[in-house]
Amino acid sequence: MPRYELALILKAMQRPGTSAALRRTVETLMERGAIVRDLENLGERLLPYKINKHNQNHLRGSYFLIDFYSAPNILTSLLDHLHRDVDVVRPTVLKKDDQVSSSNCCGS
Amino acid sequence: MFQVIGGRSVQAARVLAPRSAVLVEAVRGRKSRTDPVAKSKVGRIKVPPPVDPVEMVVLKERYGEYQMIMRALRWQKVYAVLEFKEEMLRKKYEEDTGSLAEERARQEAQEHRVLMDLNHLENQRILKLTRTRAARNCQRKEKEILKLQEDVKNFITLENLDQRIEEALDNPQNYNFAIDKQGKVVKQTMLQ
């Protein structure tokens, strides 16, 4: 199965809210048959610009990275679901490339 | 009124008409058979052009010779074509079943055998290469499968979920760093 990465920007919330949102997202993924590999937290940071979503202006957000294996046909429905989630500011699914061999790297 | 005739009526009319002229016959123009003759043509007697006997004899001789020669040439051409065709057929027959043909066939068979042998050798060589390559791929796939089986232990499941979320929230990762050519971290921006 191809390997994807969900770069999730959640609303700046308290800990229980964030953990609930994350739990919801991972459960959505698993419902659709994805296998979640890893969950990383990139911290709560200032957003690069004001984002207006769900009738709210956001200045800070918490960045999370979820890599998972899934079938490609679920992605559209998944993104649809995430766009509708009130706590999610911006969801982005990217394909994860295989590790490039760094043996013959130019410049070294 | 007068029309040039050609075709089957020509042969009959040729007997009556003068030898050197083009054959013409009267054709009903505007008037039909029953119409009376025009007033200006009432007593008309048609007179063919006079033939000079001396000229006639000379012309007849010359034309006779000329036509004899032309007819001979035409027939010669036809015979030449037929001869040519015969020659071509003979040559073809010799090529197909002559003595040289056998030699050529033998040589070709030999060449064919040599080429087939070369082809056989090539095929064997390539088969060997393919087999080694396939074995290599198999090994690589096996290694990958083993690695994946190891990784499976670290995947997130419904039981791990809460624990992993707590872990993640406690340890924020920061990828904003720069490295030099040796791979040592040089600069790192702080988390706000």
Side-chain angles (χ1 to χ4, degrees):
Chain A
M1 280 200 285
R3 197 165 149 176
Y4 296 99
E5 206 171 53
L6 171 60
L8 201 60
I9 308 183
L10 292 178
K11 202 163 83 160
M13 294 180 284
Q14 309 295 333
R15 200 160 154 135
T18 326
S19 81
L22 279 173
R23 200 197 161 85
R24 247 183 300 145
T25 315
V26 175
E27 272 173 6
T28 317
L29 273 171
M30 293 183 139
E31 257 171 59
R32 283 153 215 266
I35 299 174
V36 183
R37 193 183 160 109
D38 198 12
L39 167 58
E40 284 170 12
N41 176 13
L42 306 176
E44 185 184 313
R45 320 178 42 151
L46 214 61
L47 295 176
Y49 42 83
K50 258 190 300 186
I51 302 183
N52 190 339
K53 193 97 177 161
H54 303 296
N55 272 324
Q56 264 187 318
N57 243 329
H58 302 270
L59 287 166
R60 298 182 71 84
S62 36
Y63 287 69
F64 290 94
L65 215 52
I66 311 178
D67 25 324
F68 58 97
Y69 291 109
S70 83
N73 53 0
I74 63 164
L75 293 179
T76 18
S77 70
L78 174 73
L79 276 173
D80 197 45
H81 183 273
L82 288 172
H83 277 299
R84 284 176 216 275
D85 191 344
V86 188
D87 290 331
V88 166
V89 172
R90 188 163 291 184
T92 315
V93 174
L94 306 159
K95 200 152 72 111
K96 208 163 177 117
D97 285 333
D98 300 320
Q99 293 287 346
V100 180
S101 69
S102 51
S103 51
N104 48 357
C105 207
C106 53
S108 58
Chain B
M1 206 162 56
F2 292 106
Q3 206 176 50
V4 175
I5 48 172
R8 269 162 300 179
S9 52
V10 171
Q11 266 77 358
R14 217 184 257 278
V15 182
L16 313 159
R19 248 171 240 248
S20 43
V22 184
L23 284 167
V24 293
E25 69 169 5
V27 151
R28 295 243 155 240
R30 200 170 42 83
K31 292 183 164 183
S32 82
R33 262 173 68 183
T34 52
D35 292 330
V37 179
K39 269 197 292 201
S40 56
K41 305 277 189 289
V42 156
R44 187 164 182 255
I45 305 170
K46 285 193 237 179
V47 175
V51 176
D52 186 15
V54 181
E55 188 195 359
M56 193 79 215
V57 166
V58 169
L59 277 179
K60 210 167 135 191
E61 245 187 68
R62 290 194 193 169
Y63 267 112
E65 257 188 65
Y66 169 72
Q67 275 163 7
M68 187 172 61
I69 294 171
M70 288 303 280
R71 226 174 280 146
L73 282 175
R74 259 179 227 126
W75 276 105
Q76 228 183 31
K77 245 203 284 181
V78 168
Y79 284 143
V81 166
L82 290 173
E83 271 176 19
F84 185 66
K85 271 201 203 158
E86 255 190 59
E87 214 186 294
M88 293 312 305
L89 280 171
R90 213 185 316 133
K91 268 202 198 154
K92 208 160 165 311
Y93 179 74
E94 269 220 24
E95 245 195 71
D96 285 340
T97 60
S99 51
L100 287 170
E102 272 185 42
E103 281 261 346
R104 245 183 292 143
R106 224 183 318 130
Q107 293 242 356
E108 259 199 59
Q110 202 186 350
E111 267 187 56
H112 182 76
R113 247 176 285 137
V114 168
L115 290 170
M116 286 299 278
D117 290 331
L118 281 174
N119 191 17
H120 192 59
L121 287 169
E122 264 299 310
N123 285 355
Q124 284 180 332
R125 182 178 72 94
I126 291 199
L127 190 65
K128 245 184 278 175
L129 286 173
T130 324
R131 287 223 182 98
T132 43
R133 211 183 306 145
R136 232 182 296 149
N137 277 359
C138 244
Q139 282 179 348
R140 205 188 315 153
K141 286 267 170 61
E142 277 181 22
K143 261 187 253 170
E144 281 180 19
I145 290 177
L146 285 169
K147 218 191 298 172
L148 211 57
Q149 279 177 340
E150 285 287 322
D151 287 339
V152 165
K153 295 177 197 140
N154 296 345
F155 284 179
I156 302 183
T157 61
L158 286 164
E159 296 86 29
N160 297 3
L161 188 53
D162 285 321
Q163 183 204 354
R164 287 299 275 271
I165 291 179
E166 298 298 311
E167 262 183 50
L169 286 173
D170 289 329
N171 317 336
Q173 271 259 25
N174 187 10
Y175 290 115
N176 294 338
F177 52 82
I179 53 175
D180 62 0
K181 280 196 199 166
Q182 270 69 46
K184 251 186 341 170
V185 172
V186 165
K187 223 200 271 198
Q188 184 156 28
T189 56
M190 285 294 119
L191 215 53
Q192 291 142 328

